[in-house]
Amino acid sequence: MPSENGRPRTSVDELSRRLRSEMVPINNKISYFLVLPVADDDLRQYLHDPVESLPPAVSELLPKVGIVLAPFLERGASKTSVSVVHDKPVEPRLLFATRIESPDFATLFFTIKDEQVSDYHYYFFDELASLLSYRWPVKAQDTWHGLLREELSAETHGEVDEESWHLKQILLRRPMAARKDGKPFRAYARQSFEDTMTLYLHGLCCDIDVETGPRQLPSRHLRKRLEALKSLFPPPDGHPVFPEDLNHHHRH
């Protein structure tokens, strides 16, 4: 095992294979491994709260998932090589999340040292949303594609996050007739589903503020998307999507 300043550094590829048998189950789909000690109260925030807030329809679609809480993740010289390290890497080499997938198992690695739990939650739900966006059922795809075509027809500005915003700009450079299907549309649709699903899942778990900015999707369109996700992936009891949902659920 190569080391740096005498501290071990291990590639996430190697770790994903080695740790699989050492994972502690949270439920029948999701398990975890701690590379550094985490207090029980914190473990609830890092793992149990976010996992318990997942809609059952989301859990069903996911492969088996192993979550590895690491001090820091560091990018190697090649884009694909990432290691778990104990000392904080320099800024460009610090990575907050990465995953290793085999056909039936996804190992998600997260940097948690010096990180706010709310930022960790964002990366956590983004990784899950990304896994979902490659496994979404036809019904969800059809609903989503329909919503996006309506938005594109109405020339709706903005998106939910940077990556979907970027892919939308690529799409908007195409002639109007070529925007609503084909490869660029599908790439944009998958990413916009991932980004909106990240927001949806994050909101079910925790109180979050949606950042408003010049690139942000207008709130009525965002609401329509969240309503679609709510009907496709209904939240577990006690996890409201909208403020008015609180009237129907009294938090226990």
Side-chain angles (χ1 to χ4, degrees), residues 9-21:
R9 47 184 306 118
T10 319
S11 82
V12 292
D13 283 322
E14 190 189 328
L15 273 174
S16 63
R17 288 190 294 274
R18 196 186 332 146
L19 296 180
R20 192 158 165 186
S21 59

Side-chain angles (χ1 to χ4, degrees), residues 212-242:
T212 52
R215 295 181 167 193
Q216 188 57 50
L217 190 72
S219 57
R220 65 195 177 87
H221 289 286
L222 181 56
R223 186 179 171 105
K224 221 173 163 181
R225 287 186 182 191
L226 294 173
E227 281 168 352
L229 293 179
K230 182 183 172 181
S231 68
L232 290 163
F233 305 98
D237 283 347
H239 291 274
V241 179
F242 302 109

Side-chain angles (χ1 to χ4, degrees), residues 9-250:
R9 47 184 306 118
T10 319
S11 82
V12 292
D13 283 322
E14 190 189 328
L15 273 174
S16 63
R17 288 190 294 274
R18 196 186 332 146
L19 296 180
R20 192 158 165 186
S21 59
E22 296 181 44
M23 294 272 178
V24 180
I26 297 174
N27 58 28
N28 62 0
K29 260 298 163 70
I30 300 179
S31 53
Y32 71 92
F33 183 87
L34 306 176
V35 179
L36 72 173
V38 177
D40 286 351
D41 290 355
D42 294 340
L43 218 50
R44 167 134 226 83
Q45 277 194 303
Y46 279 111
L47 297 169
H48 299 285
D49 290 347
V51 168
E52 283 164 20
S53 71
L54 292 175
V58 163
S59 302
E60 278 168 36
L61 285 176
L62 289 171
K64 284 200 181 305
V65 171
I67 299 159
V68 180
L69 300 184
F72 302 103
L73 299 172
E74 182 176 29
R75 266 180 240 271
S78 77
K79 200 179 170 189
T80 50
S81 68
V82 176
S83 297
V84 167
V85 295
H86 290 270
D87 299 312
K88 191 169 190 171
V90 292
E91 204 55 60
R93 294 181 69 175
L94 177 62
L95 196 63
F96 297 104
T98 192
R99 75 171 179 264
I100 300 290
E101 278 187 81
S102 63
D104 61 334
F105 199 85
T107 313
L108 314 182
F109 292 84
F110 300 99
T111 284
I112 66 164
K113 229 173 151 177
D114 299 353
E115 281 305 294
Q116 298 287 332
V117 174
S118 57
D119 291 334
Y120 156 80
H121 281 155
Y122 168 81
Y123 291 110
F124 176 83
F125 291 118
D126 185 47
E127 286 295 331
L128 294 185
S130 178
L131 287 169
L132 293 170
S133 73
Y134 290 102
R135 292 169 168 79
W136 49 338
V138 172
K139 182 185 168 195
Q141 288 186 45
D142 290 346
T143 301
W144 200 256
H145 289 169
L147 271 178
L148 294 185
R149 287 185 184 114
E150 278 174 30
E151 289 178 12
L152 290 164
S153 293
E155 299 193 22
T156 307
H157 179 75
E159 246 306 334
V160 171
D161 213 335
E162 283 297 315
E163 287 193 40
S164 46
W165 191 86
H166 175 69
L167 288 171
K168 186 174 184 176
Q169 303 319 300
I170 293 172
L171 192 63
L172 294 178
R173 288 183 205 124
R174 309 190 80 208
M176 191 62 101
R179 285 179 196 173
K180 293 180 189 175
D181 208 2
K183 221 171 168 181
F185 173 78
R186 287 176 187 279
Y188 163 60
R190 192 206 64 76
Q191 188 65 51
S192 96
F193 174 80
E194 177 184 325
D195 290 351
T196 313
M197 183 57 113
T198 300
L199 185 69
Y200 174 66
L201 295 176
H202 198 172
L204 290 180
C205 163
C206 329
D207 288 327
I208 57 167
D209 294 319
V210 177
E211 282 178 32
T212 52
R215 295 181 167 193
Q216 188 57 50
L217 190 72
S219 57
R220 65 195 177 87
H221 289 286
L222 181 56
R223 186 179 171 105
K224 221 173 163 181
R225 287 186 182 191
L226 294 173
E227 281 168 352
L229 293 179
K230 182 183 172 181
S231 68
L232 290 163
F233 305 98
D237 283 347
H239 291 274
V241 179
F242 302 109
E244 63 270 23
D245 295 347
L246 278 168
N247 307 334
H248 310 298
H249 296 287
H250 294 291

